[in-house]
Amino acid sequence: MKTLSTLEPLTTRLLEIQRINSAASLLSWDQETYMPTGGGEARAEQIAVLQGIAHQKLVSPDVQSLLSQWVDPATGLAADTTGDTWDEPSRSLLREIWRDFSRAKKLPSEFVVKLSRECSLAQQVWAEAREHNTFSMFLPNLRIVLDLKREEAQYLGYHDSPYNALLDVYEPGATIAGLQPVFATLKARLVPLLRRITESRVQIDDSILHHSYDHARQLEFGRLVLTAMGYDFGRGRLDLSAHPFTTSFHPTDVRVTTRVHEHELQSCLFSCIHEGGHGLYDQGLDQRYFGTPLGDSVSLGIHESQSRLWENCVGRSRPFWRFFYPMLRQTFHDQLHGVEIEQFYATINRVIPSLIRVEADELTYNLHIMLRFEIEQDLIEGKTQPDDLPVIWNRKMEDYLGIVPPTDTEGVLQDVHWSCGSFGYFPTYTLGNLYSVQFFEQATLEMPHLEDEIAAGQLMGLRRWLEQKIHRWGRMFTPAHLAERVTGSGLSPEPFLKYVERKYGELYQL
Ligand code: ZN
């Protein structure tokens, strides 16, 4: 039996590439947190150079000749020689390295550098356009990035639609054909549910969330919740950024960010819990495999399932607040004095069609994603021209959510994704929502006392379960296979739909 040690000449090279990527990620983290705005162009060049080097090293003749001894290029799977087979970790490792290698090999190095540079620049122009509420400022850069992404899909190759090539980058195995029925089911049940909620006689007033809340105390509370979740500050940090995110350079250095708005208590609180869920995943990866696919997270959809599980299934639940609400009320005594836990629970679960995706409740959130999924698919397939985006965006907002953004900043310009070339990324948010409920239900089945533990502020049992079932496996299994191993069934919108129908049916007395 051949084991991982046979693959050492290959994994040593991958480790070096990962260290270059970690350095590039650190530069990106700095760009979003502490870099002076003037440093933007120089930073774009620095990151592009590192990404170019990492790409060249991955597609080098060395790596190619090592891989060609061990992988059958026709199937992309480990090749067995008579009488000598590979053990399971080695098979997974070879499958995943081949996936990364063959994809990288299809992209010319100059193209990778050009894409990286154009995306960094487009991101900066997007931020300005968003600030000035002027879509036309961003349009020329968007056209460049879009053309490059379509070119990328051509290099990568695809079945049915070039968009499938881009989807697969973020969620291996995902296709339009697989996702469309899922979105259709969600739309068929969520749109009528939303209508019943907006017409319900129960109206939730969330004005208590908009009192004045001290900046430092909000952050302090966020740190407290992160610590309770088991996020290790000895191997992590919490900083501020315009858009909360998580980045990892190694399982021993995983950083999360948040933002604090004086008049929006929910913003810092839930972004800490959300990013904490991402952070736990990255801290829970197996250090022994760092630098190889077995030490890497499996997909964005599964990653998002971890953040949404903590944010929604835990952080917007009654048991969680039974423990944490008394502490929150103590921290913000003046603002929350006289506000009972039930009232607080209702305000943090208020459903209302809103303009901004990142502020959407867990029910309408998927409608925001559906709109982006349809638009970006048409953009990549050339059925929609970038010039028409604001009009199309507003029309779909009206159709799905019944509201129209008064400005592009609150509409088509709100998300950073398209400026960084992340076409195909959005659907993973909905996959994360669906998987989060599937995983949480399984955890509840396997840990009958989970609810009591959460209500006692003991979150480590859940954290350990997630680490054992999901985090530590890295890319050993494909995302669909991992989900099946954990829950016994594949991706399904049904558990999520039942969960929201039950939760909001009760809250809004439907
Ligand atoms: Zn997330």
Side-chain angles (χ1 to χ4, degrees):
M1 183 78 78
K2 283 185 284 190
T3 60
L4 288 175
S5 59
T6 311
L7 298 175
E8 225 176 86
L10 186 57
T11 50
T12 311
R13 284 172 171 77
L14 293 181
L15 186 57
E16 196 187 5
I17 296 168
Q18 184 56 52
R19 286 178 176 143
I20 295 166
N21 286 330
S22 293
S25 299
L26 178 57
L27 290 178
S28 299
W29 172 84
D30 174 70
Q31 179 178 313
E32 301 303 316
T33 49
Y34 296 104
M35 187 191 80
T37 46
E41 275 185 43
R43 183 56 50 89
E45 295 299 333
Q46 294 154 2
I47 294 171
V49 167
L50 287 179
Q51 285 181 343
I53 295 172
H55 182 259
Q56 271 167 7
K57 283 188 175 286
L58 181 57
V59 299
S60 70
D62 282 27
V63 171
Q64 179 154 21
S65 80
L66 286 169
L67 268 176
S68 62
Q69 297 171 41
W70 297 320
V71 176
D72 174 0
T75 59
L77 299 174
D80 286 321
T81 43
T82 2
D84 200 4
T85 54
W86 294 98
D87 66 2
E88 203 189 348
S90 306
R91 286 181 178 282
S92 296
L93 190 62
L94 284 169
R95 179 194 70 222
E96 294 299 311
I97 298 174
W98 179 261
R99 182 184 141 83
D100 295 345
F101 168 80
S102 55
R103 200 174 54 210
K105 188 79 185 161
K106 291 174 187 166
L107 303 176
S109 279
E110 318 79 70
F111 174 81
V112 172
V113 174
K114 187 174 177 196
L115 180 67
S116 167
R117 186 186 299 121
E118 289 298 343
C119 288
S120 294
L121 292 174
Q123 196 180 333
Q124 290 162 42
V125 175
W126 163 79
E128 274 173 57
R130 184 166 175 262
E131 203 175 305
H132 293 96
N133 186 29
T134 311
F135 178 75
S136 57
M137 269 175 76
F138 175 49
L139 192 54
N141 295 75
L142 177 62
R143 280 208 197 95
I144 294 171
V145 172
L146 184 61
D147 284 346
L148 288 169
K149 292 308 281 188
R150 294 169 66 175
E151 193 180 337
E152 183 181 333
Q154 296 306 322
Y155 286 129
L156 294 174
Y158 53 83
H159 291 292
D160 302 328
S161 163
Y163 184 67
N164 280 337
L166 306 180
L167 263 179
D168 188 75
V169 173
Y170 301 110
E171 195 67 19
T175 59
I176 297 174
L179 289 174
Q180 252 163 2
V182 173
F183 278 108
T185 308
L186 288 174
K187 188 172 169 181
R189 302 251 294 267
L190 290 180
V191 172
L193 178 61
L194 180 61
R195 196 175 320 119
R196 288 170 67 208
I197 289 172
T198 39
E199 288 165 4
S200 161
R201 57 199 163 75
V202 177
Q203 291 299 320
I204 296 169
D205 171 9
D206 72 347
S207 54
I208 54 161
L209 298 176
H210 307 298
H211 294 160
S212 166
Y213 289 92
D214 179 70
H215 189 282
R217 283 185 180 191
Q218 286 198 51
L219 263 182
E220 198 183 311
F221 197 84
R223 288 182 74 90
L224 180 143
V225 174
L226 278 167
T227 306
M229 286 166 64
Y231 177 79
D232 179 357
F233 276 95
R235 298 185 287 143
R237 292 180 55 90
L238 173 64
D239 292 272
L240 297 174
S241 64
H243 299 277
F245 68 97
T246 300
T247 189
S248 169
F249 317 126
H250 188 270
T252 56
D253 190 351
V254 176
R255 305 183 184 191
V256 297
T257 71
T258 186
R259 57 178 163 199
V260 183
H261 297 305
E262 183 189 345
H263 295 286
E264 283 169 41
L265 178 62
Q266 74 286 10
S267 186
C268 172
L269 184 58
F270 287 104
S271 64
C272 281
I273 303 177
H274 180 101
E275 300 308 328
H278 283 304
L280 290 182
Y281 189 174
D282 289 340
Q283 289 188 338
L285 290 166
D286 194 331
Q287 285 187 40
R288 289 174 305 167
Y289 298 138
F290 176 74
T292 79
L294 299 185
D296 190 10
S297 55
V298 67
S299 73
L300 286 189
I302 301 288
H303 224 305
E304 190 69 6
S305 77
Q306 300 305 292
S307 56
R308 297 300 263 179
L309 183 149
W310 285 100
E311 180 190 354
N312 293 330
C313 303
V314 178
R316 291 184 208 272
S317 75
R318 283 196 180 90
F320 180 84
W321 288 106
R322 233 169 267 149
F323 182 80
F324 285 99
Y325 189 61
M327 293 158 91
L328 187 73
R329 196 151 61 167
Q330 204 168 22
T331 307
F332 299 110
H333 178 265
D334 293 349
Q335 298 89 334
L336 298 176
H337 173 74
V339 177
E340 292 307 317
I341 184 169
E342 260 313 299
Q343 190 189 343
F344 181 74
Y345 172 77
T347 61
I348 57 168
N349 283 295
R350 179 181 186 228
V351 171
I352 189 157
S354 60
L355 298 171
I356 308 295
R357 173 185 62 87
V358 295
E359 288 161 15
D361 55 79
E362 60 182 326
L363 196 152
T364 56
Y365 193 94
N366 296 297
L367 300 173
H368 288 271
I369 299 305
M370 200 175 304
L371 165 154
R372 288 156 176 78
F373 171 57
E374 292 170 356
I375 292 179
E376 63 181 16
Q377 195 180 314
D378 285 348
L379 279 171
I380 296 293
E381 290 179 358
K383 292 180 189 155
T384 289
Q385 294 312 309
D387 317 53
D388 301 329
L389 270 184
V391 174
I392 294 173
W393 183 281
N394 292 357
R395 202 177 57 222
K396 284 187 189 282
M397 280 298 290
E398 167 109 70
D399 285 353
Y400 297 164
L401 289 147
I403 47 176
V404 178
T407 66
D408 287 341
T409 298
E410 294 162 283
V412 67
L413 283 176
Q414 68 182 267
D415 293 309
V416 69
H417 302 60
W418 291 338
S419 74
C420 354
S422 301
F423 291 87
Y425 189 126
F426 283 119
T428 67
Y429 289 118
T430 286
L431 292 177
N433 289 337
L434 304 185
Y435 279 137
S436 73
V437 175
Q438 289 183 269
F439 292 151
F440 190 69
E441 286 190 350
Q442 190 63 31
T444 311
L445 271 178
E446 292 180 23
M447 292 186 282
H449 302 298
L450 181 58
E451 197 179 307
D452 297 333
E453 285 181 25
I454 294 174
Q458 292 161 11
L459 307 178
M460 295 306 272
L462 178 59
R463 187 228 138 113
R464 265 193 303 276
W465 187 88
L466 293 168
E467 189 176 333
Q468 287 306 311
K469 298 282 176 173
I470 297 166
H471 306 168
R472 74 184 183 98
W473 293 104
R475 288 163 63 186
M476 183 80 84
F477 313 106
T478 63
H481 186 190
L482 178 70
E484 196 158 330
R485 275 176 54 98
V486 177
T487 66
S489 61
L491 175 77
S492 163
E494 207 53 43
F496 173 82
L497 285 165
K498 287 216 179 84
Y499 156 77
V500 289
E501 283 164 356
R502 194 171 55 235
K503 179 173 178 176
Y504 295 101
E506 186 243 9
L507 191 58
Y508 280 92
Q509 296 172 22
L510 302 178

